[in-house]
Amino acid sequence: LRDNQLFHDLTEEEYNVVSGILKRKVYQPEETVFKEGGTDQILYIIKKGEVRICKQGPQGDLQTITLLKDRDIFTGRCPFSTERRTRRPSSPPA
């Protein structure tokens, strides 16, 4: 956590509080983190890997909006819209 700019300036006490409430979750490639319309209020930090932010198209297909990588942070809400987005880890390189 200390190498992440969001937590870099925390005091030792603040760091201990934050690290005490964090939960580690490992996602498999192509596993959905959450879907559009979900109600989670979770802050996700990508330790290692990639996450595709996708929007479901009118035909049900997923359209990639952006790709997040190591140390990126995201939530269940898109920062430029009130819509929710589907996020899923991308496949590992072939």
Side-chain angles (χ1 to χ4, degrees), residues 3-93:
D3 62 346
N4 187 294
Q5 190 169 355
L6 182 64
F7 304 105
H8 184 72
D9 293 330
L10 295 180
T11 66
E12 192 65 30
E13 183 178 346
E14 292 167 333
Y15 178 81
N16 290 337
V17 169
V18 170
S19 63
I21 60 174
L22 293 178
K23 296 178 185 175
R24 182 177 181 175
K25 171 89 167 103
V26 177
Y27 292 91
Q28 298 302 311
E30 299 300 318
E31 181 180 356
T32 299
V33 176
F34 60 86
K35 295 185 178 187
E36 286 182 79
T39 58
D40 68 352
Q41 295 181 355
I42 299 172
L43 177 73
Y44 296 92
I45 302 169
I46 303 170
K47 182 173 182 177
K48 183 175 182 181
E50 297 178 339
V51 174
R52 283 186 291 146
I53 298 179
C54 302
K55 172 77 175 142
Q56 191 167 9
Q59 307 301 321
D61 56 321
L62 292 179
Q63 302 168 348
T64 298
I65 305 298
T66 193
L67 182 67
L68 302 173
K69 298 185 179 193
D70 297 356
R71 299 184 181 169
D72 283 341
I73 298 172
F74 65 97
T75 67
R77 291 268 235 204
C78 179
F80 48 83
S81 172
T82 58
E83 295 178 296
R84 295 192 179 268
R85 305 284 186 213
T86 299
R87 286 144 170 85
R88 88 176 30 182
S90 61
S91 299

